[in-house]
Amino acid sequence: MLKQMQQQIERLKAQGATYVDARWYPFEETNALSMWNGNLKNATSARESGMGIRVLYKGAWGFSASSDLGDVTGLFDKAFDNARVAAERVTFPVRLAEKDALQAKFESPCRLNPFDVPLAEKIAFLKEMDEKMNQEGVFQRFGDLTFVRKQIVFVDSEGSEIEKLITEVFSSLQVAGLDDQGEMFERKYRLDRQGDSRGWESIDRQLFSENAERIVREMNQVRAAEACPKEDRSVILLPGIMFLQTHETIGHALELDRILGYELAYAGGSFVTLNDFGKLRYGSPKLTARANATLPNSPGSFGYDDDGVPAQDNVLIDKGILVGAITGRQMVEEANAKSRREIFKGSSGANRATSFYRVPIERMTNINIDPGTDGSLDDIVRNTEKGIILDGDRSWSIGSNREQFHFANEIGWLVEDGQVTKVVKNATYKGDTVKFWNSLSAVGDESTWKVEFVENCGKGQPNQIMQLGHGVPVCRFDNVRIGE
Ligand SMILES: [Zn+2]
């Protein structure tokens, strides 16, 4: 098949195509299970294969994809035909940033292939966790497991030949209970990065059991708690909410296609403009954020993106100043041309497609915040006069240009004069993105840094679901409105 793909690419080049690439998925398999109150609610398996082809002709893209590879010539011709039609209506001719042509392989770390594990063993795990969560005060119990394994072969007209084998494991536990007014409260645990490998071995019974006990205990504390006060306080965000803060108000805001207005009709724009790069004080000097697709063992690390560009570790915000974006080959050329300066020196290697039947678009890799020098969580609490520790995402609402946000949390712990005093329920906080990041007053050290996984980030029309990670420390922000 590889040979056939290369021959087809040469054929279209000879017919005048500027650039051609093809992504062949020999297989992509998924297996998802969920258990609700002890009942197996869902157990599905799927397997598909196919190919997607992009052709660039006179500044316009054409795309075709099929799971039927009986007529590969026809499939390539269709992509070229689509590019020819699109070339009649070009508003801004597509150019691609330079890259090196690579012959490479990438395999995500996996010791035990989850597709070799019998279904009965997966169900037994969910059953065991369900029993652990079946405690007084728990009204609903939920557990899930999701496994993905896919092989991708990428070739292009510039001489690239890249093969990837990716295995993903996601899992979560959740409990819900009612307070004496009948209001429901939830607490969940999501599997985060554990060690250097993520196959079936990451479904660690002891780890999950400890977290099952913890979420039951904390949910019961919230049920019995008083309401969160409505006032201004310092908020201390644990990784279980810090990842979402980073995702929504740094990650999405810095996707270059969004900055250029390509997502306006669907996922929204960004308050960031091309003039802001190198200038905008996005956050306090304690804030350094990066897109690091080289972090081992995370869904945001994939070796090479779907432009064939190697994974990189790029700074987005350097000591508070905006310096970088999440980019692919096409958008950096367009941004540089439109701003009449060279903001971007090439693709940052973040163009990804959810599958063979979608075109790649700019997606978050691992959008991380560097650990800081303000010590452990205990150190930060000790140095906080009037604050609240927050964890868990309960609901979220974000301005369409990512300029404001409101997050509700699963749990809050009030802090008075350096001491944790009590748990509160219905904890929320809100703010304006730039003002909020500029109020960052403490960043925890390595001991507070965790890599949280995001299984279902949505973007694009037609919609594309993407997986990624966020390595984030505990952070404190001052003068934040809470409780409303
Ligand atoms: Zn998202």
Side-chain angles (χ1 to χ4, degrees):
M1 183 59 85
L2 184 65
K3 193 114 201 115
Q4 215 179 335
M5 289 158 77
Q6 281 161 338
Q7 281 165 357
Q8 292 292 338
I9 287 170
E10 285 308 312
R11 185 175 64 83
L12 297 201
K13 252 176 86 179
Q15 289 176 27
T18 319
Y19 169 85
V20 186
D21 68 26
R23 279 174 298 121
W24 172 41
Y25 282 53
F27 70 90
E28 172 165 7
E29 47 189 348
T30 54
N31 176 211
L33 295 92
S34 64
M35 185 167 281
W36 183 72
N37 282 357
N39 299 301
L40 187 63
K41 197 168 182 292
N42 171 48
T44 54
S45 287
R47 189 180 165 96
E48 62 183 359
S49 62
M51 193 186 294
I53 293 140
R54 287 194 303 176
V55 176
L56 188 58
Y57 176 71
K58 290 191 176 169
W61 283 118
F63 180 70
S64 72
S66 181
S67 53
D68 177 1
L69 300 183
D71 178 15
V72 173
T73 302
L75 196 57
F76 275 80
D77 282 341
K78 192 173 174 191
F80 200 2
D81 287 347
N82 288 338
R84 281 198 189 95
V85 172
E88 291 166 18
R89 288 173 177 75
V90 171
T91 48
F92 191 93
V94 173
R95 284 203 313 266
L96 299 176
E98 295 288 317
K99 68 158 183 178
D100 294 328
L102 297 167
Q103 288 75 48
K105 276 193 176 156
F106 174 80
E107 201 172 322
S108 66
C110 169
R111 271 195 288 280
L112 300 171
N113 179 358
F115 290 85
D116 292 340
V117 176
L119 185 62
E121 202 175 325
K122 294 170 181 169
I123 295 170
F125 166 78
L126 289 174
K127 192 84 193 152
E128 188 183 324
M129 291 310 127
D130 183 80
E131 281 158 17
K132 289 258 187 306
M133 294 187 286
N134 194 1
Q135 306 293 334
E136 201 182 327
V138 177
F139 175 68
Q140 287 189 40
R141 318 177 297 275
F142 183 80
D144 64 26
L145 288 168
T146 304
F147 307 103
V148 180
R149 194 164 168 90
K150 56 188 170 187
Q151 188 188 3
I152 306 167
V153 179
F154 172 92
V155 285
D156 70 16
S157 55
E158 297 174 0
S160 306
E161 198 182 309
I162 296 165
E163 198 181 316
K164 298 189 276 191
L165 180 65
I166 305 230
T167 309
E168 303 280 15
V169 174
F170 297 100
S171 183
S172 71
L173 302 176
Q174 187 170 346
V175 288
L178 305 173
D179 70 1
D180 52 13
Q181 305 294 307
E183 194 180 344
M184 182 137 74
F185 296 92
E186 301 161 359
R187 191 77 176 109
K188 64 182 161 303
Y189 165 69
R190 276 195 207 94
L191 177 64
D192 54 355
R193 187 176 72 146
Q194 302 286 330
D196 58 1
S197 170
R198 198 156 44 94
W200 176 251
E201 66 277 7
S202 56
I203 304 301
D204 177 330
R205 284 181 149 74
Q206 198 189 331
L207 173 76
F208 277 81
S209 296
E210 286 166 11
N211 280 290
E213 271 174 38
R214 177 179 61 83
I215 61 175
V216 169
R217 185 176 65 245
E218 291 179 351
M219 192 273 293
N220 279 329
Q221 288 171 345
V222 170
R223 281 173 55 228
E226 288 170 32
C228 177
K230 293 180 190 187
E231 57 191 11
D232 290 348
R233 276 183 182 252
S234 296
V235 297
I236 298 169
L237 304 186
L238 302 189
I241 185 65
M242 188 61 203
F243 85 96
L244 193 65
Q245 184 70 51
T246 304
H247 183 90
E248 303 294 1
T249 66
I250 291 182
H252 279 306
L254 297 186
E255 292 159 344
L256 190 53
D257 55 346
R258 198 188 272 263
I259 292 169
L260 288 167
Y262 283 100
E263 283 283 319
L264 277 175
Y266 181 57
S270 176
F271 67 89
V272 172
T273 68
L274 295 178
N275 284 330
D276 290 335
F277 288 93
K279 276 189 256 171
L280 176 68
R281 178 155 279 291
Y282 206 105
S284 85
K286 286 182 179 284
L287 175 64
T288 292
R290 61 183 69 237
N292 183 1
T294 68
L295 182 73
N297 189 29
S298 172
S301 302
F302 38 79
Y304 305 85
D305 77 354
D306 293 324
D307 281 338
V309 174
Q312 297 167 34
D313 179 6
N314 289 306
V315 175
L316 300 172
I317 300 169
D318 186 14
K319 298 184 184 71
I321 305 294
L322 176 68
V323 294
I326 295 160
T327 68
R329 294 181 77 192
Q330 175 182 348
M331 293 298 154
V332 294
E333 287 289 313
E334 185 169 332
N336 287 344
K338 285 185 171 166
S339 65
R340 296 197 178 82
R341 65 188 177 112
E342 196 189 35
I343 305 174
F344 304 103
K345 299 228 177 325
S347 168
S348 73
N351 221 29
R352 293 200 283 161
T354 190
S355 192
F356 65 87
Y357 49 78
R358 293 282 182 267
V359 293
I361 52 176
E362 266 117 356
R363 302 307 301 247
M364 284 181 233
T365 59
N366 300 296
I367 308 303
N368 303 345
I369 307 289
D370 283 1
T373 54
D374 296 297
S376 65
L377 173 60
D378 286 347
D379 294 330
I380 292 174
V381 168
R382 207 175 309 122
N383 294 318
T384 301
E385 204 178 307
K386 187 181 178 192
I388 185 169
I389 304 167
L390 297 170
D391 197 25
D393 55 290
R394 195 172 174 210
S395 75
W396 57 96
S397 174
I398 309 111
S400 61
N401 291 318
R402 307 281 149 170
E403 64 280 68
Q404 314 97 0
F405 60 88
H406 178 281
F407 294 119
N409 305 101
E410 290 174 350
I411 188 165
W413 296 264
L414 294 184
V415 175
E416 312 288 351
D417 299 321
Q419 301 281 333
V420 176
T421 55
K422 62 179 176 185
V423 169
V424 291
K425 68 180 165 194
N426 288 329
T428 64
Y429 72 105
K430 64 179 180 178
D432 298 326
T433 299
V434 171
K435 192 175 157 214
F436 180 78
W437 284 107
N438 274 282
S439 76
L440 176 65
S441 62
V443 178
D445 63 18
E446 287 277 356
S447 74
T448 72
W449 198 82
K450 270 173 72 172
V451 181
E452 302 276 344
F453 296 156
V454 174
E455 185 183 347
N456 54 359
C457 174
K459 188 183 168 186
Q461 280 182 304
N463 191 259
Q464 300 197 38
I465 298 298
M466 194 51 74
Q467 296 75 39
L468 55 119
H470 293 292
V472 286
V474 169
C475 287
R476 186 186 63 202
F477 302 84
D478 293 336
N479 300 312
V480 179
R481 194 67 179 169
I482 65 163
E484 59 183 32

